[in-house]
Amino acid sequence: MDSLTPAGFFGALTEVSTRLADLKAGSVGVGVVSLYAQPDAALYRLPLEHMRRFERAMEREIRARLRAQDSLFAIDGKEWLIVLPNLSSAAVLTLAMLKFEQAFNEAPLEIDGIMLHMRVVCGAAISPEHGKDAFHLLQSARIAGLVAGRGDTGSQIYNPAMEQISPSLASLERDLRAAFAGGRELELHLQPKVHVPSGECRSAEALLRWRNSAGQWVPPPVVVSLIDRLGLRHRFNRWLFQCAAQILHGLRMEGLEVDVSINISATDLYDVEVPELIGQALATWSVAPERLCLEITETSMIDDGPGDSVSAVLGRLRALGLSLSIDDFGTGFSGMSRLKRLAVQEVKIDRSFVIDLLSSSRDREIAASIIDLSHRLGVEVTAEGVEDEQTAALLAEMECDYIQGFLYSKALPLADFVAWVRARTGVGLAAANMLEG
Ligand code: C2E
Ligand code: CA
Ligand code: CA
C-alpha cells in the first residue's frame, strides 16, 4: 500500500497551521494548490481496483513534480491538496500548477492498458493574503479551483473578486439553486458499514453526490463549502434531512433493517433550528429517530466554550432519540476525556490511521487505544477507509465493531445499495468465520 500520502483535509489543515505558525516567526510565504482531476466518464465505469490504481498513479505523477519540502494530501481520489512552504514568490505557485497541468493534460494516463484522458484543474492560494487561517486558505484554493474548472483559462490563483462576480461561481450557484428547486441532481448515496462479529450490514453512511450542469461530479467537501458561501445551508439541511428520512422509509419498505448516518457540519451545531428540522423530517416519513445517526467531526466539537452551546444542541439532538457519532476521530485534539461528556453512541476512527495500520505500530496503538477506551465507555467503534482484507482482519482482532470502506463497497445509489445488502444476506456467517479463522 502506498503509505507516502498523508490523508485528508484535516492533515492538510494541520500542516498549513504549522507552517503559518512558522510564518509568524518570520519565514517566507506558504502556498496551497487544490488539484482536481476530471477524468473522462470511462473512469466511473471501471471496477474499484482500477479506481485505486488510478488514484495511486495520480499521486505518483504529482509527487514526481514536487520539491522536497512540499507535501501532498489526497482528499478523495479526485482532489489533492498540495502544501508548498517557503515560497519566494507567487510565480513558484504558477509554475507548479503549470507543471501539473502539462503532465496530465497533454498525454493520457495509462492504467492497466486503459488510456484515461483527463483534465487537471488547479486553484491556488497564498498566505496571508488569501486566508487569515489554514481553513480559509484551503477554502480559497478550492474556490480558485472551482473557478478554473468552469472556465477555459486554466489554473487560477485566488482573488476575492472570484467570489463576487465570477461567472463560474455564479453558474455553479445557479446549478445548485436549481438542484434544490428540482431536487433531482443532488443525491445521497449509501456506503455500507459491516458489523464485524456477524458480518451483516446493519447501517450505512449517506454521502452527498452532486453533478453540476456540465455533468461533472463535484467533490462533497467542495459542495458543502459552496453551500455555506452561498448562504444555502438552511435549504441544504432541509433537503438533507428529508432525503435521509425518505431513504430510511424506503429501506423499511424493502424490509431492510438498516440504520442511516448523515454528516452534519460544524455550523449546524450552532443552528437552533436543526433539531426541529430533523424532527419534522422523521415525522413526515414516520421514521423512528433511533434509525438516524448524526456524524459530527471531532474538530467541529472542539470550540466548546464556556457558553457550551455545542453541548446544548447535542443534548437536544439526543433528546430527540437520535444517535450521535464522532467522525474523523483522532484528527482533533479533544482526546478521550471529552468522549464521556459528549455521550455519543459511536466513534469513527479516521481513515488516516487505518491506511497504514498494517505497517505502522504507532497507528495500531492509536486505533487500539481508541477502541479500548470507547468500549469502556460503552461506545461502539467504526473504522473507515478499510480497503483490504488484512486490515479488516487486524481490526476484527482488535475488536473494532464496524468496518466501512472500499473493501466492501463505495457509496451506492439506494437501489444498488438494496441489491448489495440482499446479495450479501446469507454470506454474513461465512465472512465472520473467515475473520475468526
Ligand atoms: P467522511 O464523512 O469522512 O466520509 C468518508 C469519505 O471517505 C467518503 O468520501 C467516502 O467515499 C470515502 N471512503 C470511504 N471508504 C473509503 C476507502 O476505503 N478508501 C478511500 N480512499 N475513501 C473511502 P466522500 O463521499 O468524497 O466525502 C468526503 C467528505 O465530504 C466526507 O468525509 C464528509 O466530511 C463530507 N460529506 C459528504 N457528504 C456530506 C453531507 O451530506 N454533508 C456534509 N456536511 N458533509 C458531507
Ligand atoms: Ca462521515
Ligand atoms: Ca470520516
Side-chain angles (χ1 to χ4, degrees), residues 10 52 55 75-77 188 191 205-209 219-222 224 233 236-237 239-240 262-266 268 295 297 327-328 348 350-351 355 384-387 404-407 409-411:
F10 293 111
R52 256 176 265 156
E55 289 172 21
I75 301 300
D76 72 343
L188 285 180
Q191 185 177 35
E205 176 173 5
L207 293 159
L208 182 64
R209 294 292 178 260
V222 176
V224 169
R233 159 71 50 187
F236 172 71
N237 277 341
W239 171 84
L240 175 69
I262 53 173
N263 293 281
I264 69 168
S265 306
D268 297 328
E295 295 190 6
T297 58
D327 205 354
D328 303 336
K348 298 186 84 171
D350 189 57
R351 189 164 84 89
I355 291 175
E384 58 184 12
V386 178
E387 298 192 355
Q404 176 182 344
F406 292 172
L407 169 63
S409 174
K410 59 182 173 181

Side-chain angles (χ1 to χ4, degrees), residues 362-437:
R362 181 183 161 269
D363 288 357
R364 273 200 301 281
E365 262 166 45
I366 293 173
S369 65
I370 293 175
I371 294 169
D372 179 47
L373 281 159
S374 301
H375 284 173
R376 282 183 210 200
L377 296 170
V379 173
E380 292 193 305
V381 182
T382 296
E384 58 184 12
V386 178
E387 298 192 355
D388 58 87
E389 293 283 359
Q390 294 96 312
T391 304
L394 181 55
L395 284 160
E397 211 173 281
M398 295 163 97
E399 295 182 13
C400 181
D401 305 288
Y402 292 89
I403 286 176
Q404 176 182 344
F406 292 172
L407 169 63
Y408 295 113
S409 174
K410 59 182 173 181
L412 302 167
L414 179 62
D416 295 352
F417 174 78
V418 168
W420 186 91
V421 176
R422 292 244 162 85
R424 195 177 167 81
T425 311
V427 300
L429 270 179
N433 289 340
M434 200 181 72
L435 287 175
E436 276 159 23

Side-chain angles (χ1 to χ4, degrees), residues 30-107:
V30 180
V32 180
V33 173
S34 153
L35 185 150
Y36 182 35
Q38 300 175 327
D40 52 29
L43 180 75
Y44 296 97
R45 289 194 292 272
L46 293 180
L48 275 176
E49 190 47 41
H50 286 77
M51 296 263 288
R52 256 176 265 156
R53 282 198 204 123
F54 162 76
E55 289 172 21
R56 301 216 169 106
M58 282 291 298
E59 278 181 35
R60 249 193 333 271
E61 294 295 319
I62 301 171
R63 203 173 285 286
R65 287 161 181 85
L66 298 184
R67 306 170 303 168
Q69 67 263 47
D70 302 337
S71 345
L72 176 63
F73 297 85
I75 301 300
D76 72 343
K78 269 162 239 70
E79 190 197 359
W80 287 265
L81 283 172
I82 302 150
V83 181
L84 302 101
N86 308 327
L87 286 187
S88 46
S89 73
V92 181
L93 264 187
T94 309
L95 215 63
M97 292 196 287
L98 210 65
K99 274 199 278 186
F100 300 139
E101 278 193 344
Q102 280 172 352
F104 295 105
N105 298 356
E106 283 174 7

Side-chain angles (χ1 to χ4, degrees), residues 192-236:
K193 282 166 63 181
V194 171
H195 180 238
V196 177
S198 66
E200 289 168 8
C201 172
R202 298 179 178 177
S203 48
E205 176 173 5
L207 293 159
L208 182 64
R209 294 292 178 260
W210 182 57
R211 249 192 258 249
N212 61 23
S213 62
Q216 292 150 343
W217 292 103
V218 185
V222 176
V223 183
V224 169
S225 60
L226 198 65
I227 284 169
D228 277 338
R229 293 212 172 206
L230 297 173
L232 291 168
R233 159 71 50 187
H234 196 74
R235 292 183 71 173
F236 172 71

Side-chain angles (χ1 to χ4, degrees), residues 268-346:
D268 297 328
L269 292 177
Y270 297 96
D271 184 341
V272 290
E273 284 182 38
V274 159
E276 195 185 320
L277 283 178
I278 295 177
Q280 279 169 3
L282 293 172
T284 307
W285 295 96
S286 319
V287 170
E290 308 83 69
R291 290 250 168 254
L292 185 67
C293 173
L294 305 185
E295 295 190 6
I296 305 160
T297 58
E298 187 193 9
T299 35
S300 69
M301 292 182 168
I302 290 171
D303 288 327
D304 202 359
D308 235 359
S309 52
V310 170
S311 292
V313 179
L314 289 181
R316 286 196 295 134
L317 293 170
R318 250 192 314 275
L320 270 180
L322 304 168
S323 52
L324 302 178
S325 168
I326 306 187
D327 205 354
D328 303 336
F329 198 79
T331 56
F333 315 96
S334 56
M336 303 302 290
S337 60
R338 296 195 63 224
L339 200 55
K340 193 170 173 193
R341 203 150 61 80
L342 291 169
V344 297
Q345 280 72 43
E346 182 194 58

